[in-house]
Amino acid sequence: MKKSLKDNRVYRAIIIPLSITLCFIGQFIPPVNGFSSEAFGVIFIFVGVLILWLTIGIDWPSLLCLLALGFINNFGFNKVLSSSLGNSTFAFLLFTFVCTYALSKTSLIKRIAYTFINFKLAQKNSYLFIFFFLLATLILGLFISPSVLFVILLPILEEILNLLEVDKKDKISKVLMLGLGFTVSISSGMTPIAHVFPLLAINAANIEVSTFQYIAVAFPTGLILFLLMYLFLLIFIRPEKNGLNFQKVSKLKETTQKFSKKEIITLIIFITVLVLWIVPSIFEFIYYPIYEFFNKYGTVMPPLLGTLLLCVIRVENEPLITFDEALKKGIPWGSLIMCASTLALGEAIKSDQIGIITFLQGTLGNSLVNLSPILLLFIFAIWAALQTNLSSNMVTATLVGTVAGTIISSTFTGLNLEATICIVGMLSSFAFATPPSMPHIAIISSTESCSTKDVFIYGSLLMVTSVMLSLVISYPIGLLVF
């Protein structure tokens, strides 16, 4: 034990100074072939912080990321704060966690968990239970925004684990948590319904692709990737096949009391938040003015409204929740700060003043023109997959979509433009490997069930698999559809 502790101290003594040095030394490197000193600074910060996330933890390394970015020329602390703590995604997560905390105090989460746990086929063994939970996530994710879906299902999953008395560090817990995060990402790339990344790639390439055409290209790949993900997690993590005890839980449903007035009002408020999130996207295809009216308020308005109502409405002279209580007990602050740092990092990467994206667009665009069609398709696919797993999905979809659209439409490459752009949009959604890729990936990276290292290893495996599937499944289908 003493040797282990000593080795850990030596390990930290090497990793921490090295990573901190990387975070502050990059911007002093002279520009090289148009790649600015500030660009070096941002890349070095990403590498330094990623090492700390993978080896040390997520809390203070995330703060280090914000501090180091503040010292980057042409970025500064005002930009860091506005793109992290002042970002709409940060606010969305903050207020949504308050709403889900209020919901977790009711019996609704337990009732949903009971219903799922008592599904007879899912009770056969742990493997089937995991499969049906993840399949339900996939089906819901075809029509719901990834961030919204994740914050709804996370407390349900945690309640299920609690009811089944599963330790958060158990292998089954790890599989379920990783599977939840990965499945949410997979589902977000399978349809363009309520998912912005495929639409951004299509718009960036200035082409027209119908909803049916995109689904025809992306859905088969997403479904096969989901099944392979399930097998990968079972094979490599090896949870116990009979590691869940359903007998005790099946009797608990009978002890659930009726909804109280306080619970009913809380439930109505939360349903209102869900309706404001989901229904407008349905009207995009039915009656666009309604979609346009609600969409202009963004995703932050519904949970902000819900939080306000929860704090203002009183039952028996007591508020449904107090904001102080929600901030103390309902917010996973470590995960939220990590999300904030990844948002700032993504903003720095796409900043025109720093020039990383401009450099890539100019350099890669000129280098790709004369390549063979198969190699060019592979490069666009691996580029989209790598970038979306290291930075912003929106930046990836826009940048790769623009470059691919420009090269394919302006030169004779032999590639099908529409099929290629659908693949770019799909892979831009398949974010698995690192915390900056998507907020919900950052959150699962910081749970007790799995670490950043777990996410990186299994997420990278999924990333490589998704590229291969897009080439052998999506592209040939695209040739038939377009």
Side-chain angles (χ1 to χ4, degrees):
M1 173 64 94
K2 289 183 179 179
K3 183 179 180 181
S4 176
L5 291 173
K6 182 179 179 181
D7 290 344
N8 187 49
R9 287 197 297 268
V10 173
Y11 178 73
R12 290 173 64 90
I14 295 173
I15 292 294
I16 293 176
L18 173 63
S19 300
I20 293 176
T21 301
L22 286 173
C23 287
F24 292 97
I25 200 174
Q27 65 176 316
F28 297 106
I29 299 175
V32 177
N33 295 329
F35 201 73
S36 68
S37 298
E38 289 82 3
F40 278 116
V42 172
I43 297 299
F44 274 50
I45 290 171
F46 173 76
V47 173
V49 172
L50 183 60
I51 291 172
L52 291 172
W53 280 335
L54 293 173
T55 58
I56 304 299
I58 66 162
D59 43 14
W60 67 260
S62 298
L63 297 176
L64 173 66
C65 177
L66 296 176
L67 178 68
L69 287 172
F71 287 108
I72 295 291
N73 294 329
N74 297 324
F75 202 65
F77 284 97
N78 288 337
K79 189 68 173 177
V80 167
L81 293 175
S82 64
S83 61
S84 57
L85 303 178
N87 190 287
S88 61
T89 300
F90 181 87
F92 163 79
L93 291 172
L94 175 66
F95 295 123
T96 301
F97 279 130
V98 173
C99 292
T100 54
Y101 169 72
L103 193 66
S104 69
K105 294 180 65 179
T106 72
S107 61
L108 177 67
I109 298 295
K110 283 187 174 65
R111 290 172 188 270
I112 296 174
Y114 286 145
T115 301
F116 192 87
I117 291 171
N118 283 282
F119 182 43
K120 289 185 178 180
L121 193 57
Q123 287 187 345
K124 295 284 185 181
N125 56 57
S126 302
Y127 289 4
L128 284 174
F129 177 82
I130 292 169
F131 176 78
F132 281 109
F133 177 81
L134 297 181
L135 180 62
T137 301
L138 184 77
I139 293 172
L140 291 172
L142 298 177
F143 314 101
I144 301 177
S145 166
S147 296
V148 172
L149 178 64
F150 181 80
V151 295
I152 293 172
L153 292 182
L154 180 61
I156 294 175
L157 174 57
E158 290 177 337
E159 185 62 33
I160 288 174
L161 295 175
N162 181 50
L163 291 172
L164 292 174
E165 298 180 352
V166 178
D167 190 282
K168 290 186 177 180
K169 295 183 180 179
D170 191 90
K171 289 182 178 181
I172 292 176
S173 180
K174 178 183 290 189
V175 170
L176 283 167
M177 193 63 70
L178 287 171
L180 173 62
F182 293 160
T183 303
V184 168
S185 292
I186 292 172
S187 64
S188 70
M190 292 171 67
T191 76
I193 303 169
H195 304 136
V196 68
F197 314 122
L199 297 177
L200 284 174
I202 292 169
N203 291 334
N206 196 26
I207 59 174
E208 291 187 6
V209 174
S210 71
T211 300
F212 171 78
Q213 288 172 322
Y214 179 84
I215 291 176
V217 172
F219 188 89
T221 294
L223 184 59
I224 294 173
L225 183 63
F226 166 75
L227 296 173
L228 290 176
M229 174 209 71
Y230 170 73
L231 293 176
F232 289 157
L233 293 178
L234 293 186
I235 292 170
F236 294 113
I237 299 179
R238 296 184 179 180
E240 293 183 32
K241 189 173 183 179
N242 297 306
L244 297 175
N245 184 5
F246 297 98
Q247 295 179 353
K248 181 179 179 181
V249 178
S250 61
K251 298 179 181 179
L252 292 177
K253 189 175 181 180
E254 301 172 1
T255 65
T256 305
Q257 298 179 350
K258 293 182 178 180
F259 281 114
S260 66
K261 183 178 179 181
K262 191 173 183 178
E263 288 181 322
I264 292 173
I265 296 174
T266 300
L267 180 57
I268 291 172
I269 292 173
F270 192 78
I271 290 175
T272 302
V273 173
L274 288 182
V275 168
L276 290 174
W277 270 332
I278 299 171
V279 171
S281 62
I282 297 175
F283 278 96
E284 181 180 4
F285 306 99
I286 300 174
Y287 188 64
Y288 190 79
I290 293 180
Y291 166 80
E292 189 176 33
F293 174 78
F294 284 101
N295 193 54
K296 66 182 179 182
Y297 298 112
T299 58
V300 178
M301 184 275 288
L304 174 57
L305 175 62
T307 299
L308 178 62
L309 293 174
L310 289 167
C311 294
V312 170
I313 296 175
R314 303 174 74 87
V315 176
E316 297 177 356
N317 206 32
E318 289 186 359
L320 298 174
I321 61 167
T322 64
F323 195 61
D324 286 346
E325 176 191 359
L327 292 182
K328 291 176 183 177
K329 299 180 180 180
I331 310 296
W333 285 107
S335 302
L336 208 54
I337 293 300
M338 187 181 195
C339 288
S341 66
T342 61
L343 290 168
L345 196 56
E347 187 67 26
I349 289 173
K350 70 179 183 181
S351 170
D352 292 335
Q353 288 73 27
I354 292 173
I356 295 176
I357 298 302
T358 304
F359 175 82
L360 289 175
Q361 191 167 354
T363 304
L364 293 178
N366 295 330
S367 304
L368 298 177
V369 173
N370 298 317
L371 295 179
S372 66
I374 297 298
L375 182 57
L376 190 59
L377 176 63
F378 174 76
I379 289 175
F380 285 137
I382 197 69
W383 180 7
L386 275 173
Q387 185 173 331
T388 202
N389 277 281
L390 297 175
S391 65
S392 164
N393 310 74
M394 292 186 180
V395 175
T396 301
T398 303
L399 173 62
V400 184
T402 300
V403 174
T406 302
I407 291 176
I408 297 173
S409 61
S410 62
T411 60
F412 181 75
T413 61
L415 278 180
N416 184 290
L417 174 60
E418 288 79 6
T420 303
I421 296 302
C422 285
I423 289 174
V424 169
M426 176 184 69
L427 292 176
S428 296
S429 308
F430 288 172
F432 315 112
T434 68
S437 59
M438 266 193 179
H440 66 265
I441 298 298
I443 292 171
I444 67 168
S445 302
S446 60
T447 61
E448 293 181 51
S449 301
C450 50
S451 64
T452 309
K453 184 178 179 181
D454 294 322
V455 171
F456 182 75
I457 292 172
Y458 299 111
S460 297
L461 176 61
L462 275 188
M463 179 190 70
V464 173
T465 305
S466 68
V467 171
M468 295 172 61
L469 291 176
S470 69
L471 299 180
V472 300
I473 297 176
S474 289
Y475 190 74
I477 293 176
L479 294 178
L480 296 174
V481 172
F482 297 106

